[in-house]
Amino acid sequence: MHMKRSCSLLSTLCLIILLSTILTTQTAAQDSVNYDESKVPPYTLPDPLQLSNGKRITTAEQWTQQQRPAMLKLFADNVYGRMPGKPQHMHFTVNSIDSSALAGKAIRKQVTIFFTQESSSPSMELLLYLPRSAKGAVPVFTGLNFDGNQTVSNDTGIHLSTRWIADDPEKGVVNNRATEASRGTSASRWPVEEIISRGYGLATAYYGDLEPDHPEGWKTGIRTTLQSELNIKPEEWGAIGAWAWGLSRIMDYLETDPSVNAKEVVITGHSRLGKAALWCAANDTRFAMVVSNNSGEGGAALSKRWFGETIERINTVFPHWFCPKYKTYNGKANLLPVDQHILLALMAPRPLYVASASEDQWADPKGEFLSAKNAEPVYVLFGKKGLGVNEMPSVDHPVGETIRYHIRTGKHDITLYDWQQYMNFADTQFNRTYK
Ligand code: GTR
């Protein structure tokens, strides 16, 4: 009797231990981050050339007419949410022009992009530098910045952002507001003088003008303030969608500025803003060239490859970035009908540069390379060559023709080295002669 009781007690205990082990292993498997190449399990990537009826496309026309819209919709439905169009009554106000900025080398314009016809309406502040010596309209690099326009240069003529910015006293952001001390704090990421001296313009805006980057940010950002204007509910898209949408509004302005060659605008972005740049360029083919700098998970990196950041981690730490449906793929990347190589393929046939950094394992450099590699078949439809190599190049050795890739030595960042490669690539693509 006694024996029997202790036996059943023992088996209950065993069962409890077994169950809790299963549970913790499961949570650990989903939560854990893998940095070991030998532990990457096999995965299957969806074929960008395969139609939903199983047939394969073989021409650029089929891609453009059928497959491209279908793929774009899969990303909207499952990853980033719906992308609304241009608001009907947008308008621009040029607030200041300085024709001898940066020691006389540049023209600096500051423009408010109003999203409705009201001048009290939601808006974003655009900072535009143009080379003063330019003879005609110039090609322009554009991208959002993390901490306000005044952080990109020590140029004291830049208006201080008045919006909410994540606190960072060391970078001059106190009580969520920019102070004078914030000027130039991101200058290493924006080599304005170098860009200007190579004959390019630079257009940038603070991403928080569109949506402050925190889980409650949507309440004060455009997903709320423009919901009736754009006819979209806040939960139909995410913060990355809102930032991407803002990049298209920058293009709307650039198209109106005669100093800008709107046919040669390069969209760029670092990290989360690289994700936004890719999603924008997938939707908006007015951008002539696309640059993804260390954009990682939800950007250039493959999601189905278990290495570095995962869908579950990104959705947990940044619940506001993607559409709600994306959370259903937490721990289930294999069920996603797309992967990020198809997002990269949506850039075709436009020149695309994907860049990683050797110490940025979180963003999975190899996953970014493989994603670029697997976008190639779509470029081939257009008669364009992609990377031209099958293995990752060594550090600081850019490769590729219409799709280019490098892995830079160093940390998660955007540096002068990165910018130089992007400008070299743009020179080639736009037939410019600077050397
Ligand atoms: C990280 C995030 C990455 C990347 C990065 C950044 O914390 O996990 O996906 O977006 O932030 O934007 O700097």
Side-chain angles (χ1 to χ4, degrees), residues 146 271-272 275 309 314 318 321 362 412:
F146 279 89
S271 205
R272 68 198 68 183
K275 306 180 211 296
E309 191 170 22
I314 208 165
F318 306 104
W321 280 6
W362 183 240
H412 182 71

Side-chain angles (χ1 to χ4, degrees), residues 131 153 199:
S153 163

Side-chain angles (χ1 to χ4, degrees), residues 370-398:
L370 290 172
S371 185
K373 180 73 198 156
N374 283 285
E376 276 181 347
V378 177
Y379 276 77
V380 170
L381 291 181
F382 290 89
K384 302 277 182 191
K385 280 204 187 125
L387 294 175
V389 294
N390 294 323
E391 298 299 322
M392 263 183 100
S394 52
V395 288
D396 308 325
H397 278 92

Side-chain angles (χ1 to χ4, degrees), residues 2 85 88 123 126 129 136 164 216 242 286 293 355 357 428:
H2 192 69
Q88 249 191 322
S123 59
L126 182 71
Y129 281 109
W164 181 96
E216 307 290 301
R286 292 175 296 173
N293 190 89
T428 314

Side-chain angles (χ1 to χ4, degrees), residues 141-142 266-279 281 289-301 340 343-344 347 351-357 360 363 368-369 371-372 403-406 412-414 418 422 425:
F141 279 84
T142 190
V266 184
I267 186 168
T268 66
H270 169 61
S271 205
R272 68 198 68 183
L273 298 177
K275 306 180 211 296
L278 288 173
W279 178 231
M289 178 180 140
V290 185
V291 174
S292 152
N293 190 89
N294 306 181
S295 63
E297 185 75 23
Q340 302 305 107
L343 183 71
L344 297 185
M347 310 307 152
L352 164 69
Y353 205 126
V354 174
S356 312
D360 188 17
E368 296 191 311
F369 170 79
S371 185
I403 306 177
R404 228 167 143 70
Y405 176 85
H406 75 239
H412 182 71
D413 197 2
I414 178 164
D418 296 313
Y422 306 149
F425 188 42

